[in-house]
Amino acid sequence: MRTLDPMVEALVTMSEAQLQRVMKRMTQHRRRELATRWGLWAHAGQSIADDDWMVWMIQAGRGFGKTRAGSEWVCRHAAERGDLRVALVGATRRDVETVMVGGESGLLAVGRHYGPVRWRPTAGVVEFGSGARAYAYSAEVPDTLRGPQHHLAWCDELTKWRRADATWDNLMMGLRLGEHPQALVTTTPRAVPLLRRIRKLPGVRITTGRTHDNIHLADSYVEAIEANYSGTRLGRQELDGELIDDIAGALWSRATIEACRVDAAPELVRVVVGVDPPAGTDGDACGIVAVGRGRDGHGYVLEDASVAGASPEGWARAVAGCAGRHRADRVVAESNQGGAMVASVLRAADAALPLSLVHASKGKAARAEPVSLLYETRRAFHAGRFPELEDELCGLVGGGGYEGPGRSPDRADALVWAMSELMLGARGEAMVRVL
């Protein structure tokens, strides 16, 4: 727990405008003292408690404060060691100069609080008052890292590196000065091989975080950016800092789903709710997905109303609620987990539910293949964002198998039942009408 004097406690809770006014009235010595006490200002994820690691990766969304964290880490070590040699590695030399060195949160802006600091662009080196030096390198020219040796390395936006593996390997082979060489990686995640490789290194420390975690960002900015991108693949990657992989052989890709996303469905002529009932109350979720067919003949996912851990009565009420909200003219439920029980609990929740029970004669992936083709041919769309459902879709592998989250793709299966009934006439499955 932080131990703060009353003055510092007050400063931490001030708005940016209030803080600037107070700081102007302080002596230069006091301002410098406060500025160098990074632990007071850092939010969770911008610092690390232990030092027993060789690679620390901050994998976080934009605006999280990755650059500031990197600059503070380098400047703190530079102030303590006059013989320090640091490698600054960016996607391009310009990225190093404009972000890592000269940016608003770069070494020059942060370093001046610790003492004199100077950038020599011709030599590509930052010189600190202590005598420490930080050298600029570009991932476009990995051979420049052959030969030089360093105590520390700061690698920024690693997933943008053009010649990533060669740059990383040359860097690590030269990271051999001192008793405890270390590398800090600050990056927004993308599914590139080097990022996955580093994450598997023994003893690597990984910090994850979201744009929203940065308490110093304006609320208006966070609200606007989340309103536009929250729940999309781009938002989950660039704002939430998630590493989102496409699985080899998956029936759905992230790119396909994004291409089939719309803000809202058009006028609908029919709505079906698909249901994948759970086997019990402590296992899989009950998949509940509403799908509508527009006057344009296309299918639109309207809602993922799936519930987990609910009793039969609980998930039956969720099904009835979803059907009522969308005025569904049909509920299609898989009957393999006890057809009579499924019909009974759904009827108890709403006796007027227009219900069809479907018996699955194929595996989940096989049933999903014709539905995935609807997306490929732009006949099926998502009217909104459904992250959990989309993760499951992208985990269904052609030819059988599931590599997504959870034990079973319950949400995806519910979508397949609904979309099959709506767009394919549930062909290939045995259907029993319940009047």
Side-chain angles (χ1 to χ4, degrees):
M1 180 180 292
R2 294 176 178 175
T3 301
L4 307 180
D5 60 55
M7 178 180 177
V8 173
E9 183 74 57
L11 289 172
V12 171
T13 59
M14 284 182 182
S15 68
E16 185 67 23
Q18 290 172 324
L19 182 61
Q20 291 299 324
R21 286 196 296 269
V22 172
M23 294 286 278
K24 285 180 181 179
R25 295 197 295 268
M26 288 183 180
T27 65
Q28 183 176 358
H29 175 76
R30 183 59 167 161
R31 285 200 300 269
R32 175 170 292 180
E33 179 190 354
L34 287 171
T36 57
R37 294 173 69 181
W38 171 235
L40 299 178
W41 309 103
H43 63 74
Q46 286 184 302
S47 60
I48 190 167
D50 73 284
D51 203 46
D52 186 23
W53 47 268
M54 186 172 182
V55 178
W56 173 26
M57 177 185 291
I58 302 179
Q59 175 191 304
R62 294 190 190 183
F64 174 81
K66 299 185 294 296
T67 304
R68 179 63 184 272
S71 293
E72 291 283 354
W73 182 73
V74 170
C75 290
R76 175 172 57 82
H77 283 287
E80 295 170 353
R81 294 187 58 181
D83 65 337
L84 193 70
R85 297 296 178 263
V86 184
L88 305 174
V89 189
T92 66
R93 172 65 179 268
R94 179 174 175 78
D95 286 345
V96 176
E97 292 183 5
T98 60
V99 179
M100 301 175 75
V101 176
E104 291 184 0
S105 299
L107 293 175
L108 297 182
V110 171
R112 62 187 175 84
H113 298 301
Y114 291 82
V117 59
R118 181 173 66 151
W119 165 241
R120 293 175 54 200
T122 303
V125 60
V126 178
E127 297 178 338
F128 297 90
S130 66
R133 293 187 171 195
Y135 299 89
Y137 298 95
S138 167
E140 293 182 320
V141 193
D143 282 351
T144 58
L145 282 160
R146 285 182 176 271
Q149 302 178 65
H150 307 94
H151 298 89
L152 303 178
W154 174 19
C155 307
D156 192 46
E157 292 301 348
L158 177 139
T159 60
K160 290 172 53 180
W161 290 8
R162 185 177 178 183
R163 302 179 65 184
D165 288 295
T167 300
W168 178 261
D169 290 339
N170 285 338
L171 171 67
M172 297 306 288
M173 288 179 184
L175 194 64
R176 55 178 181 258
L177 292 182
E179 296 182 359
H180 192 32
Q182 293 178 313
L184 168 61
V185 177
T186 53
T187 189
T188 303
R190 292 179 187 171
V192 299
L194 180 57
L195 185 65
R196 291 194 291 264
R197 177 181 155 197
I198 294 172
R199 287 175 60 91
K200 294 178 181 178
L201 290 174
V204 66
R205 298 289 190 272
I206 300 175
T207 297
T208 59
R210 306 171 302 153
T211 300
H212 185 78
D213 294 335
N214 191 342
I215 61 175
H216 303 297
L217 292 176
D219 290 341
S220 57
Y221 167 78
V222 175
E223 290 170 3
I225 204 78
E226 289 189 342
N228 285 322
Y229 298 106
S230 179
T232 66
R233 176 180 182 164
L234 182 64
R236 294 174 65 189
Q237 174 179 283
E238 301 292 326
L239 302 182
D240 297 338
E242 291 187 39
L243 179 60
I244 304 176
D245 269 317
D246 276 327
I247 297 168
L251 296 176
W252 277 264
S253 72
R254 306 282 178 177
T256 297
I257 291 176
E258 289 299 336
C260 294
R261 194 183 306 284
V262 296
D263 292 332
E267 184 180 355
L268 302 174
V269 297
R270 191 180 178 209
V271 174
V272 171
V273 173
V275 182
D276 182 42
T281 60
D282 57 352
D284 302 328
C286 177
I288 307 169
V289 176
V291 177
R293 187 173 69 219
R295 290 196 177 277
D296 57 7
H298 298 156
Y300 294 87
V301 178
L302 307 175
E303 183 184 2
D304 174 10
S306 304
V307 293
S311 65
E313 293 76 15
W315 60 252
R317 286 194 297 271
V319 171
C322 181
R325 284 191 297 277
H326 298 283
R327 299 181 180 179
D329 58 274
R330 182 61 48 188
V331 172
V332 179
E334 183 178 324
S335 63
N336 290 46
Q337 299 294 344
M341 183 275 289
V342 171
S344 175
V345 295
L346 288 173
R347 282 280 179 254
D350 185 349
L353 256 150
L355 178 65
S356 296
L357 296 183
V358 184
H359 184 81
S361 58
K362 303 176 185 176
K364 294 178 185 290
R367 292 198 303 273
E369 287 183 11
V371 176
S372 70
L373 290 176
L374 294 175
Y375 287 72
E376 294 289 345
T377 56
R378 299 297 185 269
R379 295 175 57 206
F381 297 85
H382 287 192
R385 301 158 185 168
F386 312 101
E388 294 172 300
L389 168 62
E390 291 163 13
D391 283 349
E392 290 189 2
L393 292 174
C394 292
L396 285 166
V397 179
Y402 175 63
E403 298 181 25
R407 296 186 304 180
S408 177
D410 311 293
R411 301 166 191 269
D413 212 29
L415 177 146
V416 167
W417 286 126
M419 197 70 78
S420 297
E421 162 71 10
L422 198 65
M423 303 293 292
L424 304 174
R427 57 182 175 230
E429 301 293 342
M431 178 175 287
V432 179
R433 295 287 181 186
V434 179
L435 301 177

